[in-house]
C-alpha cells in the first residue's frame, strides 16, 4: 500500500501545524507511522490522497452515523447553503432541531446550541454551579469532556483528592475544584460526597465511557450516581456527546432509563458539521442568558449548515436503522472475538450498540487504569495490519470504533477476513 503523497503532505504539514494536525490523535502518535491524508469519503469508505480505499470505523469520531456524504445530508446542505451560511439570528432550522432532540430526550426540556462538545460541557457545568451555588465538579478518570481548563484534570496520587492539571498551561487553581474518581467506582464517589459535603455542584459522566476505549457502566453504576447526586443536592450531567443518538434513539439515558438533570450533545446531532448542545430541566436552562444570569453566547451557534446536516441525519434514524446497526455491530464484535481466539490472541471486546473496542488483554477492563494496562503495542500492530488491508480503525487503543448505517454485511465480512490475518500477525509478534 502506497502512502507517498500522505508522507509528503505530512512532512510539510508538520512545518506549519503542531504535529501536522488540527487535533492530536490524528497524528498517529499512539500507533506510529504516517497519518493518511483523506481526499474524500463516501458511504463506509475513506479514500486517501494516494488513491487507497479504506472501510472506515472512525466515522469522524462517531459523528457520521449514516456514513460519509449521505445523499440526504448532502442534499440538505446544498439547499441550506444557497440560502446563506450564517445569519447570527434565530432560524426555523434551529427550532426544528431543538424540537426533534427534545422529542428524543424527555430529560431535555430546553436546549442551547453551541459549536462543539467542549463548549457544551463547559457551559452545562457553569449552569450547574450557578444552580447549586457550589464550586466543585466530580468527573471520572479517563473521561473526556472536551478541553476546557477545569476539565483537564487527573486524579491526584494517594490520598490527594484534588485534581491535578492534565495539561501544561492549566494552573493548578483551575482544577482545584475538580474531583476525580475511577469510572464504575460508586464507593469512591460516595466517599467524595462525604468528604466535601454541600460542595459538589455536579457529577459529569459519559454514561458509556467512549474515550478510554468503550467501557460500559457496571449494572447499578448510573443508578447509584443518580441516587448519590439527588441525596447530596448535586446535579447529574450526562455527557452524551458520543452516545446521544448513537447507542439508541434516546441516547444512553434512554437505554439505561436514567434521567439526568443536564445533558451534553454533539457529534451526531451536527451530521458531520461543527456542533454541540446542552439541555435539560427547564428551571436549570432558564438560568442561561438572556433569561437568567449565566452568560453564554456564540457568534456561529445554531448556524444553519450544522442545523441542516443535523436535521437530515436525525430524520434517517429509524427503529429499523438502529436494529440494523445493532446486528452489524454484533456481527463484527462476534467475528472479531472468534478471529482473535483462532489466532490465540487474548482480547476483551466491549460493545454497546454500534460503538465497540478491542482491548488486547486477558484482564477485565472497567476503568481507565485497567484500560491503560492493556497491550498497546499489540493494538498498534493490529492497527497497521488492518490499515494495510484497507480497514481504517481509530489510531489509538483508547478510542472507540463506530459502525455506521453505511456498513453492509459485505463490509463486515471483508473486515473480518482482514482481522483474521491481522490477529495472526499480532500473534507472531515482531513489527
Ligand atoms: C468528542 C467529545 C467531546 C468534545 O467534543 P468536541 O466537539 O470535540 O469539542 C466531549 N465529550 C465527549 C464524551 C466526547 O466524545
Amino acid at each position: 500500500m502506497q502512502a507517498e503523497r500522505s508522507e509528503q503532505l505530512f512532512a510539510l504539514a508538520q512545518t506549519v501545524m503542531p504535529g501536522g494536525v488540527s487535533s492530536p490523535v490524528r497524528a498517529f502518535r499512539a500507533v506510529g507511522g504516517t497519518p493518511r491524508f483523506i481526499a474524500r469519503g463516501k458511504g463506509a469508505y475513506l479514500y486517501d490522497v494516494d488513491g487507497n480505499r479504506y472501510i472506515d470505523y472512525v466515522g469522524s469520531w462517531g459523528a457520521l452515523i449514516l456514513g460519509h456524504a449521505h445523499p440526504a445530508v448532502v442534499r440538505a446542505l446544498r439547499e441550506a447553503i444557497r440560502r446563506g451560511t450564517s445569519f447570527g439570528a434565530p432560524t426555523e432550522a434551529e427550532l426544528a432541531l431543538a424540537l426533534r432532540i427534545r422529542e428524543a430526550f424527555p430529560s431535555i426540556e430546553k436546549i442551547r446550541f453551541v459549536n462543539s462538545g467542549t463548549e457544551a460541557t463547559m457551559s452545562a457545568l457553569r449552569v450547574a454551579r450557578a444552580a447549586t451555588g457550589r464550586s466543585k465538579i466530580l468527573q471520572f478518570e479517563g473521561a473526556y469532556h472536551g478541553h476546557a481548563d477545569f476539565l483537564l484534570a487527573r486524579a491526584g496520587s494517594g490520598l490527594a483528592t484534588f485534581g491535578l492539571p492534565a495539561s501544561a498551561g492549566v494552573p493548578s487553581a483551575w482544577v482545584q475544584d475538580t474531583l476525580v474518581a475511577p469510572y464504575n467506582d460508586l464507593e469512591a464517589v460516595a466517599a467524595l460526597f462525604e468528604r466535601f459535603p454541600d460542595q459538589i455542584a455536579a457529577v459529569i459522566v459519559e454514561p458509556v465511557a467512549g474515550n478510554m476505549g468503550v467501557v460500559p457502566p457496571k449494572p447499578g453504576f448510573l443508578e447509584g450516581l443518580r441516587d448519590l447526586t439527588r441525596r447530596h443536592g448535586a446535579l447529574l450531567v450526562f455527557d452524551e456527546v458520543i452516545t446521544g443518538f448513537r447507542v439508541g434513539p434516546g441516547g444512553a439515558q434512554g437505554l439505561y432509563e436514567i434521567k439526568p438533570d443536564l445533558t451534553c450533545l454533539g457529534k451526531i446531532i451536527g451530521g458531520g458539521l461543527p456542533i454541540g448542545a446542552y439541555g435539560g430541566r427547564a428551571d436549570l436552562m432558564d438560568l442561561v442568558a438572556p433569561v437568567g444570569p449565566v452568560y453564554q453566547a456564540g457568534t456561529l451557534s445554531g448556524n444553519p449548515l450544522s442545523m441542516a446536516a443535523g436535521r437530515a441525519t436525525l430524520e434517517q434514524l429509524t427503529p429499523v436503522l438502529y436494529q440494523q446497526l445493532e446486528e452489524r455491530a454484533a456481527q463484527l464484535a462476534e467475528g472479531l472475538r472468534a478471529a482473535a481466539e483462532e489466532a490465540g490472541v487474548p482480547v476483551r471486546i466491549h460493545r454497546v450498540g454500534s460503538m465497540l473496542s478491542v482491548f488486547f488483554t486477558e484482564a477485565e477492563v472497567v476503568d481507565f487504569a485497567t484500560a491503560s494496562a492493556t497491550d498497546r503495542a499489540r493494538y498498534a500492530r493490529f492497527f497497521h495490519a488492518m490499515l494495510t488491508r484497507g480497514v481504517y480503525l481509530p489510531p489509538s487503543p483508547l478510542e472507540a470504533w463506530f459502525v455506521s448505517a453505511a456498513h453492509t454485511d459485505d463490509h463486515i465480512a471483508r473486515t473480518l477476513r482482514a482481522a483474521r490475518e491481522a490477529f495472526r500477525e499480532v500473534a507472531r509478534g515482531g513489527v
Side-chain angles (χ1 to χ4, degrees):
M1 175 167 294
Q2 191 160 321
E4 200 180 323
R5 184 80 186 129
S6 281
E7 277 158 18
Q8 286 167 358
L9 292 173
F10 190 47
L12 179 58
Q14 285 171 285
T15 68
V16 69
M17 296 186 285
V21 292
S22 298
S23 195
V25 71
R26 299 178 195 175
F28 274 30
R29 293 283 171 104
V31 291
T34 304
R36 302 308 193 257
F37 278 60
I38 303 304
R40 65 194 177 91
K42 182 68 196 155
Y45 292 114
L46 279 178
Y47 298 83
D48 72 15
V49 290
D50 288 286
N52 302 304
R53 186 181 77 170
Y54 307 91
I55 303 175
D56 177 26
Y57 290 99
V58 176
S60 194
W61 304 95
L64 298 179
I65 194 166
L66 301 178
H68 296 275
H70 187 281
V73 177
V74 171
R75 198 179 320 116
L77 278 170
R78 219 177 248 139
E79 282 166 18
I81 208 165
R82 273 203 299 262
R83 293 192 292 265
T85 52
S86 182
F87 313 119
T91 62
E92 283 189 33
E94 98 195 296
L95 174 58
L97 186 60
L99 290 168
R100 174 67 180 83
I101 291 172
R102 188 175 67 175
E103 189 183 294
F105 287 75
S107 76
I108 299 181
E109 294 167 357
K110 288 194 172 177
I111 189 165
R112 167 66 60 88
F113 289 110
V114 291
N115 299 294
S116 65
T118 293
E119 283 178 69
T121 58
M122 183 181 83
S123 310
L125 293 172
R126 186 179 300 149
V127 170
R129 284 168 156 162
T132 57
R134 301 174 178 182
S135 307
K136 295 199 185 300
I137 300 295
L138 197 162
Q139 69 167 8
F140 294 95
E141 197 181 7
Y144 181 64
H145 302 298
H147 62 90
D149 287 295
F150 72 100
L151 292 170
L152 290 177
R154 58 187 174 81
S157 57
L159 292 177
T161 43
F162 302 120
L164 299 175
S167 163
V170 176
S172 52
W174 265 238
V175 291
Q176 76 177 20
D177 282 327
T178 307
L179 307 171
V180 184
Y183 195 76
N184 270 324
D185 188 343
L186 267 185
E187 273 171 39
V189 176
L192 286 169
F193 271 112
E194 292 303 323
R195 177 137 183 201
F196 299 100
D198 303 328
Q199 292 175 59
I200 299 176
V203 173
I204 183 166
V205 64
E206 291 173 72
V208 176
N211 287 290
M212 48 177 118
V214 174
V215 179
K218 283 184 181 168
F221 177 59
L222 298 175
E223 290 82 351
L225 293 181
R226 182 64 282 184
D227 287 349
L228 282 167
T229 46
R230 221 171 244 145
R231 193 147 14 106
H232 291 276
L235 300 180
L236 181 61
V237 181
F238 271 12
D239 181 350
E240 297 227 42
V241 171
I242 288 182
T243 53
F245 294 100
R246 166 61 63 182
V247 298
Q253 55 195 270
L255 187 65
Y256 298 107
E257 299 179 343
I258 308 282
K259 204 169 177 182
D261 301 294
L262 291 168
T263 298
C264 303
L265 296 169
K267 299 192 170 116
I268 288 176
I269 62 161
L273 273 79
I275 202 166
Y278 64 105
R281 278 164 41 196
D283 63 309
L284 296 174
M285 292 306 292
D286 279 339
L287 292 172
V288 177
V291 183
V294 176
Y295 191 70
Q296 188 275 303
T299 302
L300 293 177
S301 293
N303 100 81
L305 299 185
S306 299
M307 300 297 114
R311 278 177 77 191
T313 297
L314 299 192
E315 264 168 29
Q316 303 292 316
L317 301 180
T318 59
V320 172
L321 183 139
Y322 280 109
Q323 188 54 37
Q324 176 199 315
L325 283 172
E326 175 70 26
E327 283 163 16
R328 297 263 152 73
Q331 217 175 313
L332 178 62
E334 284 315 308
L336 288 167
R337 195 170 285 131
E341 195 179 328
E342 200 181 283
V345 176
V347 293
R348 292 269 174 164
I349 296 173
H350 289 179
R351 179 182 74 84
V352 179
S354 53
M355 56 193 284
L356 65 108
S357 47
V358 178
F359 294 105
F360 288 84
T361 182
E362 270 170 278
E364 218 189 348
V365 177
V366 294
D367 57 13
F368 185 62
T370 46
S372 306
T374 62
D375 194 330
R376 297 160 182 237
R378 280 196 151 188
Y379 183 86
R381 216 172 291 138
F382 183 72
F383 168 87
H384 281 291
M386 292 295 274
L387 192 68
T388 303
R389 290 170 177 81
V391 181
Y392 192 90
L393 302 178
S396 160
L398 299 181
E399 299 285 352
W401 308 19
F402 296 102
V403 176
S404 80
H407 289 100
T408 62
D409 288 338
D410 180 56
H411 294 126
I412 304 291
R414 281 191 282 143
T415 302
L416 293 176
R417 249 191 322 270
R420 281 191 280 276
E421 294 177 13
F423 279 123
R424 257 180 265 147
E425 228 171 81
V426 168
R428 278 199 300 274
V431 279

